[in-house]
Amino acid sequence: MVKKITAILMVAIMILSFASCGGAGDSGEKTEAPKTVDLVAIKNEMITQLNIESPIDLDNDKLLNQYGITAEKVKSSGSFIVLTGIFPAEIVMIEAVDENAAKEIQGKLQTRLDDLKAQSQSYDAESYSIAQSCSIYINGNYVAMFFSEHGAQMENIYLKYFN
């Protein structure tokens, strides 16, 4: 009986440690993704819950122009930008076609994030703070970046689809 209780407690501790890592947002962090996540549904939930006005979808052409992400690497996307405020918000959620494409997309988003962090230093303190708290999320073939004043809330909405 003691062995069973010990085993159950160990499993519970492991689950809690994995759950706490999933929300940490460290760049390059990987967790196992579910078979399918509807990124457009996540985008729509973010827009509705956070009262985001005038979002602009990032289609394949805009993903290529803004981030260098080619259409053949993208299986699905729920990406958009918002051009209000001093610094535009960039919300990128992509399902890559495979693991190699996900790694490539992660690298391109990391390059963009590094640029945003450098640029934000010459803007206001709020933009700089947003940039410093932003991370790249990896869940299987899903890659995401939330550069927004609502970044933490967006991350929570996004991550709940992977639990």
Side-chain angles (χ1 to χ4, degrees), residues 2-159:
V2 172
K3 288 182 181 180
K4 286 182 182 180
I5 292 172
T6 303
I8 290 170
L9 286 174
M10 290 183 71
V11 169
I13 290 169
M14 287 175 42
I15 290 171
L16 288 173
S17 68
F18 287 131
S20 67
C21 290
D26 293 335
S27 184
E29 185 174 300
K30 285 192 168 197
T31 58
E32 191 62 35
K35 290 185 180 182
T36 304
V37 171
D38 186 347
L39 296 176
V40 174
I42 297 172
K43 175 186 79 170
N44 291 336
E45 183 175 338
M46 287 177 182
I47 290 168
T48 301
Q49 281 190 16
L50 302 172
N51 297 317
I52 296 172
E53 295 181 19
S54 306
I56 300 169
D57 286 340
L58 291 175
D59 60 18
N60 286 338
D61 289 338
K62 290 177 184 164
L63 288 173
L64 177 61
N65 292 339
Q66 185 74 16
Y67 306 100
I69 298 170
T70 57
E72 67 265 3
K73 305 287 182 184
V74 178
K75 184 173 180 181
S76 67
S77 174
S79 304
F80 64 99
I81 59 172
V82 182
L83 298 177
T84 57
I86 294 174
F87 226 78
E90 298 181 25
I91 295 79
V92 181
M93 298 178 289
I94 295 174
E95 179 186 8
V97 294
D98 59 30
E99 185 178 343
N100 289 334
K103 287 178 183 176
E104 182 179 322
I105 291 168
Q106 175 192 6
K108 291 179 185 289
L109 289 180
Q110 187 62 54
T111 298
R112 177 63 181 157
L113 180 56
D114 293 344
D115 289 345
L116 288 169
K117 287 181 177 185
Q119 291 173 15
S120 68
Q121 288 179 324
S122 63
Y123 284 80
D124 61 281
E126 183 181 356
S127 296
Y128 182 71
S129 176
I130 290 168
Q132 297 308 309
S133 66
C134 188
S135 297
I136 309 300
Y137 289 84
I138 307 292
N139 295 52
N141 291 340
Y142 293 86
V143 186
M145 177 183 80
F146 307 103
F147 182 79
S148 168
E149 65 182 301
H150 303 293
Q153 296 99 324
M154 290 176 167
E155 291 166 7
N156 289 334
I157 292 168
Y158 177 78
L159 292 173

